[in-house]
Amino acid sequence: MVQALLEGNWTRLCKVFSSLQGLEFEWSLHSDTTGGHDDIVDANSILRILKFSESHYTTPPHIEKIEERGRQGDIILVEGVRTGSAYVWATLRDTSYAKVDHSSVRLMVIVNLMISPPETYILKYAAVKYKVEQIRQNSVVAIQMPSSQYSLEVVDGTIGTLDAATSVATVLELGETEVKLIDKSILFDIAMYVC
């Protein structure tokens, strides 16, 4: 639930109200335009707002009444659809509070990925094949590389190279560098060492 994340931004309202229960809000999703990346992903492809009635969670009584009217209250459920980041905005619906600015929080949806092997020590001109794996509900699932969403790259190209088509890194010189796993949708990287 996003309630705890967003209520903290409503300090001005908390001075007026002892509780936000029963108030109607307009919750909306907005694309993350921060970070300077060229590919802005639609927020609705990253996050989805759910009604409590569409979930297995117990609906708080005050929210049930509001949802029956087709409205949203002070608590919502947000589901991650795919990796990326997006903003969730909350605005009071009552026109009496039109001058109260919206509150927002940036949510990042990430997956539990790992590079295998996690660390290697190899000789000059030797090669190692890397795998990308995702942990899902206590099982390991291989991610087919190359991938439209993920890529591997060597940080220091003077130490080693990486063939993106085969995920094979070859050592050119003695030294230390990293192989990074890049998630193209959020520009988040997982680093590991290769020597």
Side-chain angles (χ1 to χ4, degrees):
M1 285 188 267
V2 178
Q3 175 195 20
L5 297 172
L6 289 176
E7 278 188 2
N9 293 333
W10 292 95
T11 37
R12 287 177 294 187
L13 287 178
C14 292
K15 292 177 184 172
V16 178
F17 302 107
S18 60
S19 172
L20 299 177
Q21 281 190 4
L23 293 176
E24 291 182 3
F25 288 80
E26 180 71 35
W27 295 84
S28 56
L29 302 175
H30 298 268
S31 297
D32 183 359
T33 58
T34 63
H37 47 275
D38 298 330
D39 300 333
I40 295 174
V41 181
D42 179 25
N44 294 292
S45 71
I46 296 168
L47 299 173
R48 183 168 78 107
I49 296 175
L50 295 172
K51 294 180 182 177
F52 274 88
S53 58
E54 299 171 341
S55 75
H56 65 278
Y57 292 100
T58 303
T59 308
H62 74 284
I63 295 295
E64 187 172 11
K65 293 173 186 171
I66 293 172
E67 282 190 358
E68 285 173 357
R69 295 192 307 266
R71 302 290 176 101
Q72 297 169 319
D74 62 304
I75 302 171
I76 63 166
L77 297 173
V78 176
E79 177 183 44
V81 177
R82 59 169 270 198
T83 58
S85 61
Y87 283 90
V88 179
W89 286 14
T91 307
L92 282 162
R93 287 186 58 90
D94 191 318
T95 56
S96 303
Y97 306 107
K99 292 185 179 184
V100 176
D101 203 9
H102 73 272
S103 183
S104 66
V105 64
R106 180 179 180 220
L107 297 180
M108 292 185 74
V109 180
I110 59 174
V111 293
N112 193 359
L113 297 173
M114 61 184 175
I115 300 172
S116 181
E119 188 171 23
T120 57
Y121 298 91
I122 55 178
L123 299 172
K124 189 172 178 180
Y125 305 118
V128 62
K129 180 168 177 59
Y130 288 96
K131 295 187 296 184
V132 177
E133 298 170 323
Q134 179 180 3
I135 300 172
R136 284 189 198 162
Q137 300 174 349
N138 296 328
S139 64
V140 177
V141 178
I143 303 290
Q144 183 66 39
M145 295 297 284
S147 162
S148 61
Q149 184 170 359
Y150 305 109
S151 64
L152 293 170
E153 64 181 45
V154 173
V155 174
D156 186 346
T158 64
I159 302 294
T161 62
L162 189 123
D163 181 351
T166 62
S167 298
V168 173
T170 305
V171 177
L172 303 174
E173 294 293 332
L174 294 178
E176 186 176 295
T177 188
E178 296 177 323
V179 172
K180 286 190 175 185
L181 174 61
I182 309 295
D183 183 333
K184 298 171 190 171
S185 65
I186 59 173
L187 300 178
F188 178 77
D189 58 346
I190 300 169
M192 57 78 51
Y193 292 94
V194 59
C195 298

